[in-house]
Structure formats: structure tokens, C-alpha cells
Amino acid sequence: MRLYLDVPYREKEQAKALGAKWNPRVKKWYADTPPEEFVRFSKWILGDWEEVIIALHELFIIEGQRKCWKCKKNTRIVGLGIGGFVQIFDDGDGPQCDIVGNIIRTREGVAKEEVHLAWADEEEMIPPGLLRYLKENYSVKTGYSRKAGKTYANHCDCCGAIQGNWNVFNEPDSPLSSNLMWPDRDELENRMKKLKIKGIAIDDAIMVDWSMGFSPFDDAYMEYGQYEEIALRDGLSDEGVSYEELYSD
């Protein structure tokens, strides 16, 4: 699986010696290895970060509804989602690799990925192809919140009021959250059945700088949610989008 790297020109021979390849169209070096070998290229993955999440196979858009705090009308809200991923990190003993497959089996016996709710507070953190889809289909944009300041967030479909990221993504009573304060499987099923889970297959591994939550009930998105595979725009397949397509303007 390909993973594109941030390799400075002066280090290209070092990356090449480890097996990195050059894509002249994208003008970037990439590793073309099984995910468990990504750690060999940690120098160009981690940079100054202590850990990096690398999405595998699929990205997700999670769509729900909530009542706007201002106009009291129902409005759509969306979050991002990550399924299987690789975590590259340095705990002080050198670069390490942890692969989280997150494959679940639904009641119908179908193997699907577990999904973790995620978000990004800045537009620059979202691949341009995905950002374009969000802006064209939902009321999401950069706005101003008294609590969070300037932030990328959902806005009401009806009155345009910003819907705070903390309330949408961190509160247990958020319609998008699988992390119920008092877990009840029937309540969880009813909440998840109202969600639309849009899967975006990816041909390349993608590094994501997103805030990501974990819940013991993250299997419920794919177990009960209304799942569909989507293409980010006309002309792109819903069977897999490449790094080049995802990062094209």
C-alpha cells in the first residue's frame, strides 16, 4: 500500500535507499509496502510529531441531525470517521508501529470496519477533495465561536448559526456519538439507525491530523447506521480514490 512522505530534497537518497519511490506527477516520494513496514519511514512520517494516525482502506462521513440551539429547528450535522488505521509513534524508545484493523461482523454476518468519530478544527487539516465534498453538500465552513474562536464547524441549515464542535463531537448526548453516558444497547441502536454513514474507499494510505474519539461501542456505526459508498465527485470511482485525486484542487 502506498503512503506519501514529506521528504526534503537533501534526504531523497536516504529515502530511496530504504525503498521509497518517486511519483513525478504528485512530485512526492512514497513508500509502497505493507502497512506494518511504514515504521521504516518514520523519519518522514513523524517529523516533529510524537504520533501520527494513518488511515487505511476507507474514510467516512457521518451525517446526523440535531436541534439548532438558536432557531430550535432540526439541522444536519456531519463528522468525519476513521476505520482501520496505523499509528506510528515514538515513546522514547524509538519509532513504534501499532496496526488497528477494526474489522467487525454484523448481525447479518457481514465483515465491516469499526468506525471512530473524528473532526478537524481547521480546513487545512482535511484533504482538498474531501473538503470540497463537505462544502458542496453540507453547511460546514470556518466560523467564529465565542468559546473556541475561529474554527471549522457545522452551521445550521436554517438560520446559519454555528454549531459548536465540543457539543457536536464530545458530548455523550450528541446524535453523532456512540459514547452514551449510560450505555443501553436499544438506545444506542435507535441513535445509530438515524445516522448516514458514507464510506470513501481509498487506494492509498492517508495521514490524518484529526481529533479522534474512541468508544467501546464504535462497532455500532456500521452495525446499525445507514451505510453507503460514495464518490467524492463526478468522474471518480466509489471503488477507491488515490492520494493524487484526494489532494487535487
Side-chain angles (χ1 to χ4, degrees):
M1 194 170 199
R2 291 171 300 191
L3 173 67
Y4 283 85
L5 309 165
D6 292 320
V7 179
Y9 180 80
R10 65 182 180 277
E11 296 173 1
K12 66 183 182 68
E13 293 302 325
Q14 184 180 352
K16 185 177 180 180
L18 287 173
K21 301 175 183 178
W22 175 253
N23 185 324
R25 291 192 310 276
V26 179
K27 293 182 170 54
K28 287 181 77 77
W29 290 89
Y30 65 93
D32 191 7
T33 68
E36 59 268 22
E37 295 183 23
F38 287 164
V39 70
R40 287 198 287 129
F41 302 90
S42 58
K43 178 178 181 177
W44 304 289
I45 296 172
L46 286 173
D48 296 328
W49 296 95
E50 292 183 358
E51 68 173 27
V52 169
I53 297 296
I54 303 169
L56 305 173
H57 313 308
E58 231 175 340
L59 301 174
F60 298 89
I61 296 172
I62 303 173
E63 176 188 332
Q65 291 195 6
R66 63 171 287 176
K67 185 175 290 187
C68 172
W69 63 270
K70 187 174 184 179
C71 72
K72 310 305 180 185
K73 295 180 180 178
N74 281 342
T75 182
R76 296 173 306 161
I77 52 173
V78 292
L80 301 171
I82 299 173
F85 65 91
V86 176
Q87 182 184 29
I88 304 292
F89 61 96
D90 192 336
D91 59 2
D93 294 324
Q96 308 288 324
C97 174
D98 187 15
I99 299 179
V100 181
N102 294 324
I103 300 298
I104 65 162
R105 192 164 294 278
T106 66
R107 289 181 181 180
E108 294 78 17
V110 180
K112 294 183 177 179
E113 283 189 281
E114 188 174 287
V115 178
H116 308 292
L117 181 63
W119 191 243
D121 290 322
E122 299 178 18
E123 295 186 17
E124 294 74 15
M125 296 176 177
I126 303 174
L130 177 55
L131 181 65
R132 184 188 305 113
Y133 183 92
L134 291 170
K135 286 187 172 183
E136 289 176 352
N137 292 276
Y138 299 102
S139 300
V140 288
K141 59 184 178 180
T142 298
Y144 182 81
S145 162
R146 264 189 288 180
K147 289 185 178 179
K150 186 178 179 182
T151 184
Y152 185 67
N154 285 272
H155 288 66
C156 178
D157 285 329
C158 303
C159 72
I162 192 169
Q163 309 296 301
N165 284 346
W166 179 265
N167 293 329
V168 171
F169 299 107
N170 297 96
E171 295 290 356
D173 62 351
S174 167
L176 299 184
S177 176
S178 67
N179 192 20
L180 275 65
M181 186 173 295
W182 304 108
D184 178 276
R185 199 71 191 188
D186 290 338
E187 181 183 350
L188 181 66
E189 180 177 349
N190 289 334
R191 177 184 290 187
M192 297 293 107
K193 280 183 175 179
K194 298 174 184 177
L195 299 180
K196 295 180 181 179
I197 315 297
K198 299 186 176 185
I200 303 153
I202 51 177
D203 287 338
D204 301 319
I206 303 293
M207 287 187 260
V208 290
D209 184 16
W210 300 346
S211 300
M212 184 166 60
F214 292 93
S215 159
F217 310 104
D218 281 344
D219 62 306
Y221 289 105
M222 295 297 277
E223 179 78 11
Y224 305 117
Q226 305 168 49
Y227 175 78
E228 65 171 324
E229 294 180 357
I230 63 168
L232 289 178
R233 67 174 186 269
D234 292 342
L236 293 185
S237 171
D238 61 0
E239 296 180 356
V241 61
S242 68
Y243 175 95
E244 184 176 357
E245 292 166 330
L246 198 56
Y247 279 87
S248 63
D249 294 326

